[in-house]
Amino acid sequence: MQIGSNKIEELKSYLATPQRIVILAHTNPDGDAVGSSLAWAEILEKQGHSVTCIVPNRFPYYLEFMPGCQNIVIHKGDKEGRAEAAVRSADIIFCLDFHTMTRLDGLGDVIDHNQHAKRILIDHHLDPTEDFDLMISYPVASSTCYLVALLVEQLYGAEHISRTMAENLFVGMMTDTGNFAFSSVTPDVFRMVAVLAEKGISIPDIHNHVYNSFTEGRARLFGYVINRKMKIFHNGSVAHMSLTADELRRFWFQQGDSEGFVNYPLTIKKMKISAMFTEHTDFIRVSLRSRADIDVNIFAQRYFHGGGHKNAAGGKSFVSMEETLKHFERCIKEYAAEGRL
Ligand code: 5GP
Ligand code: MN
């Protein structure tokens, strides 16, 4: 895959002289959001720009090994106003790994205070909104990290990818492809992995940091939710699980602990859709996964104010957990009646 040459030329023109740059990623930042932000920040700083990475809220503790992550400004609880100050004075705002400003929660209002900055999207989600001056949007790409790696190659050459950039990029490429198992994986993804591996990264170390560094509470919470909270219906083809704030507290929940749980019901043969509902302060977070041709992006858009990808999408619910689960079951019926399931 290649990024279109017109987009590369336009990007080059924006970056021709040193710029004040802000890089934003989405709420509940994952490996792809953090990895792409850090790698993009590193190359831009090396090119003489001044860069601030901002995320709306904390990233999971098991991503704290990622090189440079201590410099990311976390907007929620940012008492010194660093995020707002950086946004206000920015010449360019890069939006990474999300497709609509609603994915920024409160940070979206902050962006609106700066109307002069160029807004540039680098993303791989379906149906991006039109809020951007330049859209580097490739929904076929398996991760935003892969897109950033391509951008660096095409703008500056692969020799400019440092070892730390390679580590950060590998994290997002690995996590967003389910360990290089999803249908979005192409031969060129493996070519890029080879480019990164040649920088001397330790793939086993990265794998251990991301997948084998959880707390005991997370392991017990996982056992609990699968054993006690998984409901399977629609002839064994749909599963839902839920966690209330109270249940999360009982297992010493930390941000990121329930990441990946939603994938597990899909290990059951014949399962087509899996849904996970997690209670937050003001809403219930919805995570959806599906197999093959079943489209949860449309489902999330239609029923849960969300979106994402065909096989991995999310959204929000603003009613009680009980009503949310009932709503989900009704929506499944409707979706199935339309022949979409
Ligand atoms: P996850 O279940 O891992 O939180 O999210 C799966 C996918 O759905 C991600 O690609 C994510 O960007 C998208 N997604 C999650 N939550 C939302 C949401 O509230 N709104 C939209 N538009 N997309 C979401
Ligand atoms: Mn991503």
Side-chain angles (χ1 to χ4, degrees):
M1 195 186 134
Q2 289 252 295
I3 311 283
S5 55
N6 53 337
K7 300 211 186 275
I8 294 288
E9 290 314 312
E10 198 176 337
L11 192 51
K12 269 186 189 161
S13 73
Y14 288 134
L15 297 171
T17 54
Q19 303 288 306
R20 283 167 300 188
I21 291 174
V22 158
I23 298 175
L24 299 177
H26 59 77
T27 305
N28 297 325
D30 58 7
D32 194 30
V34 177
S36 57
S37 295
L38 290 172
W40 190 229
E42 185 179 328
I43 186 76
L44 292 177
E45 275 176 353
K46 285 183 173 155
Q47 297 299 317
H49 305 288
S50 74
V51 185
T52 307
C53 284
I54 306 173
V55 291
N57 63 343
R58 279 182 59 189
F59 47 87
Y61 57 93
Y62 47 81
L63 297 181
E64 280 169 5
F65 77 97
M66 294 177 75
C69 74
Q70 65 284 355
N71 300 324
I72 296 178
V73 177
I74 297 161
H75 178 237
K76 195 173 177 183
D78 169 33
K79 294 199 183 74
E80 297 149 42
R82 286 167 66 202
E84 284 166 36
V87 166
R88 207 163 278 135
S89 63
D91 305 311
I92 304 178
I93 298 174
F94 281 101
C95 297
L96 267 60
D97 200 37
F98 66 93
H99 58 319
T100 143
M101 292 300 175
T102 59
R103 292 280 283 146
L104 289 177
D105 289 346
L107 193 50
D109 300 335
V110 178
I111 313 300
D112 287 338
H113 294 152
N114 181 340
Q115 292 294 335
H116 69 266
K118 292 286 171 209
R119 296 178 183 190
I120 305 178
L121 179 74
I122 305 176
D123 179 53
H124 69 133
H125 291 91
L126 291 162
D127 313 314
T129 51
E130 300 284 332
D131 302 324
F132 306 95
D133 296 289
L134 170 60
M135 291 176 74
I136 301 177
S137 162
Y138 289 87
V140 294
S142 56
S143 62
T144 301
C145 278
Y146 171 60
L147 287 177
V148 167
L150 287 175
L151 278 175
V152 176
E153 263 192 342
Q154 288 180 238
L155 283 166
Y156 309 111
E159 66 279 13
H160 284 82
I161 299 178
S162 67
R163 182 185 164 138
T164 47
M165 282 166 67
E167 284 174 358
N168 283 322
L169 292 171
F170 185 80
V171 171
M173 290 181 65
M174 173 180 80
T175 52
D176 262 33
T177 57
N179 271 314
F180 306 100
F182 296 163
S183 58
S184 54
V185 174
T186 60
D188 197 56
V189 167
F190 287 112
R191 179 193 66 79
M192 192 59 82
V193 169
V195 169
L196 302 183
E198 277 167 1
K199 307 292 177 184
I201 63 173
S202 169
I203 291 175
D205 283 354
I206 295 174
H207 192 279
N208 273 327
H209 276 298
V210 176
Y211 294 117
N212 302 326
S213 303
F214 301 124
T215 59
E216 178 185 338
R218 195 246 185 209
R220 295 194 185 282
L221 179 66
F222 181 52
Y224 170 77
V225 78
I226 292 294
N227 190 20
R228 306 278 296 278
K229 304 297 305 282
M230 181 171 65
K231 175 173 174 185
I232 296 180
F233 62 108
H234 208 268
N235 291 325
S237 67
V238 181
H240 69 63
M241 301 182 290
S242 63
L243 286 168
T244 63
D246 195 44
E247 288 168 318
L248 295 172
R249 265 192 299 275
R250 268 164 52 201
F251 290 91
W252 304 95
F253 179 83
Q254 294 184 53
Q255 165 97 20
D257 270 352
S258 59
E259 235 43 56
F261 287 4
V262 65
N263 296 308
Y264 205 77
L266 283 178
T267 62
I268 302 168
K269 204 170 176 175
K270 293 192 187 151
M271 192 60 70
K272 290 182 179 169
I273 291 187
S274 167
M276 172 85 198
F277 301 91
T278 317
E279 191 178 339
H280 287 233
T281 320
D282 305 322
F283 59 89
I284 290 172
R285 183 178 161 204
V286 183
S287 255
L288 299 159
R289 298 292 183 271
S290 64
R291 213 192 282 279
D293 290 340
I294 313 292
D295 191 327
V296 282
N297 172 51
I298 294 174
F299 190 91
Q301 279 178 9
R302 212 200 257 181
Y303 302 117
F304 287 104
H305 320 276
H309 312 281
K310 186 175 166 196
N311 297 133
K316 286 178 178 155
S317 167
F318 300 96
V319 293
S320 71
M321 186 62 88
E322 205 184 322
E323 285 178 65
T324 301
L325 298 179
K326 275 194 197 139
H327 173 65
F328 176 70
E329 292 183 16
R330 274 196 305 269
C331 298
I332 286 289
K333 262 195 195 145
E334 185 177 299
Y335 217 53
E338 287 176 16
R340 292 179 182 271
L341 211 157

